[in-house]
Amino acid sequence: MVKNNDKVIGQDAVVKKGWLIAHKWLLLRRLSQLSILSLFLMGPLFGYWFIKGNMSSSLFMDTVPLSDPFVFLQTLFTGYLPEISVVVGAVIVALFYFIVGGRVYCSWVCPINIVTDAADWLRRVLKIKTSLSFSRMGRYGLLVISMVLASITGILVWELVNPVTMIQREIVFGMGLSWLFIVAIFILDAFVSRRAWCGHLCPMGAFYSLLGQASILKVNAINRSSCNDCMDCFSVCPEPQVIKPALKGKAESSPVIYSGNCTNCARCIDVCAENVFTIKHRFIN
Amino acid sequence: MNTPSNKSLQSRRRFLENISKAAGGAALFGIGLGLYSQQSKSLPSTAIRPPGVNNESDFLSACVRCGLCVRDCPYDTLKLSKLGEHVALGTPYFDARSIPCEMCEDIPCVKACPTGALDPELTNIDDARMGLAVLIDQEACIAFQGLRCEVCYNVCPIQNKAISINRQRNNRTGKHALFIPVVHSSDCTGCGKCEHACILEEAAIKVLPTKLAKGELGHHYRLGWEEKQKAGESLVTPDLEHKYNLPQGTEYDYEGKGLIQPDETPFNESALDRLNKGRL
């Protein structure tokens, strides 16, 4: 195995494929994240109400309701029976992520991802090494806690502290102190523990992991035979544990990354000089 | 022999250690968060919920903090609570002193709510109960000084019903009247236009959460005059004629006639007459 401590991740890919191709998916994701945020801001800033509300629940083109299924689930756990509009909205959004992959929300939509990606980039540039690591199961624990607390207290407890909904709400509706959470998450991810928030703690990510377990769209290590063990994909992946079974599995095993934890961010496709990975539907083996 | 190897014992120990660490952390975190959530239920008294919120707890279980009510409010009355404010994070409220509710007839905020946290059964804005206006400082209100103001009375959208003017004697001058505004909870929607319009530096009339503003009579109380009206007659047993220990021959009439003397007293005649009457 090549020691990649001193190597810039994705350098081989940049040399071989060119900078643009080696950053294609990253750029597309940033474009997606920023355009979704801009769409929400078009109304309050310029009066073009393509989409009204925020990512917890919104109205698209004044007709289609779109609601976050995680927030919706909390409402159900409080024992409240909501009106039809939010139910329809949550079903639409849940179906979408059920097909394209639950954590597509995390890597293509959620604005926090920009913060945590930046923290990870800084970690790599400054070669920050920390030993503290949270369990990747922690997020499922928090998911359970958020639902249990909702049913005990009868209020949406997690939404009192949820940095994800809080930050994008305050971006759209006016900034309070939620920027403190941006700073805190950045520090946590950069200086305390790698990928601590999105990969270990965020219950929303855990929820979307479960939702996308059976999604159609999956990253596929289709050319795994040409892997040269440069380890760049492992270094760049926010959930590196999902790659191994597909990339390094036995010959008869499937090259599809089945894990719901995979965010379909496709960074592995970018950084791979050998074009091992691709995004395909899950039925190609 | 079936003894577990040293290695598997170690990994089991590590597993149990990890699980208990995670469980302990989760329990502590959960308790903290749970307690914080209880605190968040206490709405500051100056924050007023939009129309259609019947009960703060129910509202907090239903509202997804999407802000669609805020967007559809034509007067920018409503705002979403930001981190650092004392209203439960992300939920809509308004401050009557800055911008009151204009009580739109079509209630766009309630229509915009996707979850029903703002009760869709509220179709007549006059039925909204966002809070209750209270003339809280009678010392500062200039009406109590005998000055004419009545601004709150005049801006009230449910005029002469939610706030009426009660004329009282001005004891200072001895010859003028005080024009005292009186709020009636039967009609006040808590829109806050009175608080907004109050001419004082700090409003003397304020919208408070109904729970804070309203007293409640003990349920066993019956108001005699109301019961009498309902029943069409007095429910109390009428007075019976009372038996007094009165001098012989005198009577007492309870209907206000007082003591009734007999026509003739026993001692105004001669002893012979008495003998003749057979009283001796």
Side-chain angles (χ1 to χ4, degrees), chain A residues 225-242:
Chain A
S225 51
S226 47
C227 172
N228 62 3
D229 292 340
C230 75
M231 302 298 282
D232 277 1
C233 55
F234 285 97
S235 308
V236 84
C237 180
E239 306 274 347
Q241 79 282 4
V242 306

Side-chain angles (χ1 to χ4, degrees), chain A residues 10 13 44 52 67 121 134 143 146 158 187 250 278 282:
Chain A
K52 206 192 274 180
S67 302
W121 172 82
F134 299 95
L143 178 60
S146 59
W158 187 252
I187 291 173
K250 294 196 181 84
T278 181
R282 64 184 295 137

Side-chain angles (χ1 to χ4, degrees), chain B residues 2 12 22 35 39 62 65 67 73 76-77 87-88 91 121 131 173 183 196 214 223 226 241 251 271 273:
Chain B
N2 202 9
R12 187 187 299 168
L35 291 175
Q39 202 192 356
R65 296 112 205 267
C73 174
D76 290 336
T77 301
V87 180
T91 53
E121 281 178 24
T173 64
V183 181
H196 178 67
K214 275 294 275 178
L223 300 177
E226 281 180 5
E241 192 171 347
E251 282 178 279
D273 288 343

Side-chain angles (χ1 to χ4, degrees), chain A residues 94-157:
Chain A
L95 272 178
F96 173 75
Y97 287 118
F98 185 78
I99 291 165
V100 301
R103 295 203 66 198
V104 161
Y105 174 80
C106 302
S107 60
W108 290 78
V109 179
C110 180
I112 299 287
N113 174 266
I114 304 175
V115 178
T116 58
D117 272 1
D120 197 50
W121 172 82
L122 190 73
R123 251 183 112 80
R124 288 200 302 267
V125 170
L126 300 182
K127 298 194 168 46
I128 298 168
K129 297 266 186 295
T130 51
S131 57
L132 179 70
S133 82
F134 299 95
S135 163
R136 283 198 187 269
M137 295 304 285
R139 48 186 155 182
Y140 294 105
L142 282 176
L143 178 60
V144 171
I145 286 176
S146 59
M147 296 306 160
V148 168
L149 281 180
S151 58
I152 292 176
T153 61
I155 69 177
L156 281 75
V157 175

Side-chain angles (χ1 to χ4, degrees), chain A residues 4 8 21 44 53 55 79 105 109 119 144 216 225 228 265 275:
Chain A
N4 60 351
V8 178
I21 301 293
M55 287 183 213
Y105 174 80
V109 179
V144 171
I216 309 290
S225 51
N228 62 3
C265 74
N275 293 323

Side-chain angles (χ1 to χ4, degrees), chain A residues 220-274:
Chain A
N220 191 328
I222 199 155
N223 295 324
R224 59 182 171 183
S225 51
S226 47
C227 172
N228 62 3
D229 292 340
C230 75
M231 302 298 282
D232 277 1
C233 55
F234 285 97
S235 308
V236 84
C237 180
E239 306 274 347
Q241 79 282 4
V242 306
I243 299 179
K244 202 179 164 197
L247 184 63
K248 297 291 162 196
K250 294 196 181 84
E252 65 273 19
S253 71
S254 165
V256 177
I257 296 179
Y258 284 120
S259 169
N261 287 150
C262 173
T263 68
N264 281 1
C265 74
R267 254 323 250 162
C268 52
I269 304 178
D270 277 351
V271 299
C272 183
E274 308 301 325

Side-chain angles (χ1 to χ4, degrees), chain B residues 244-252 259-262 265:
Chain B
Y244 292 96
N245 192 11
L246 294 171
Q248 196 176 31
T250 54
E251 282 178 279
Y252 185 81
L259 273 177
I260 300 163
Q261 301 285 339
T265 59

Side-chain angles (χ1 to χ4, degrees), chain A residues 40 44 49 52-54 56-59 62 65 67 71-72 74-76 78-87 135 141-142 145-146 149 153-162 166 169-170 172-181, chain B residues 18 22-23 25-41 56-68 70-72 79-85 87-91 112-120:
Chain A
F40 275 102
W49 298 100
K52 206 192 274 180
N54 60 40
S56 296
S57 192
S58 56
L59 200 57
D62 258 328
S67 302
V71 179
F72 173 71
Q74 290 178 68
T75 318
L76 289 186
T78 64
Y80 174 75
L81 268 182
E83 290 291 308
I84 192 73
S85 172
V86 75
V87 182
S135 163
L142 282 176
I145 286 176
S146 59
L149 281 180
T153 61
I155 69 177
L156 281 75
V157 175
W158 187 252
E159 292 311 302
L160 296 172
V161 292
N162 188 351
M166 178 195 309
R169 179 173 56 240
E170 296 202 354
V172 179
F173 279 84
M175 188 52 76
L177 291 177
S178 73
W179 60 270
L180 285 172
F181 271 87
Chain B
N18 281 343
L28 271 181
F29 182 76
I31 290 169
L33 195 58
L35 291 175
Y36 174 64
S37 76
Q38 290 313 101
Q39 202 192 356
S40 78
K41 278 185 184 173
E56 179 70 8
S57 289
D58 290 353
F59 175 70
L60 286 179
S61 68
C63 173
V64 293
R65 296 112 205 267
C66 66
L68 284 171
V70 175
R71 289 294 184 230
D72 280 8
K79 45 194 175 180
L80 286 188
S81 156
K82 295 170 183 169
L83 189 65
E85 290 174 7
V87 180
L89 183 66
T91 53
C113 180
T115 65
L118 307 183
D119 190 354

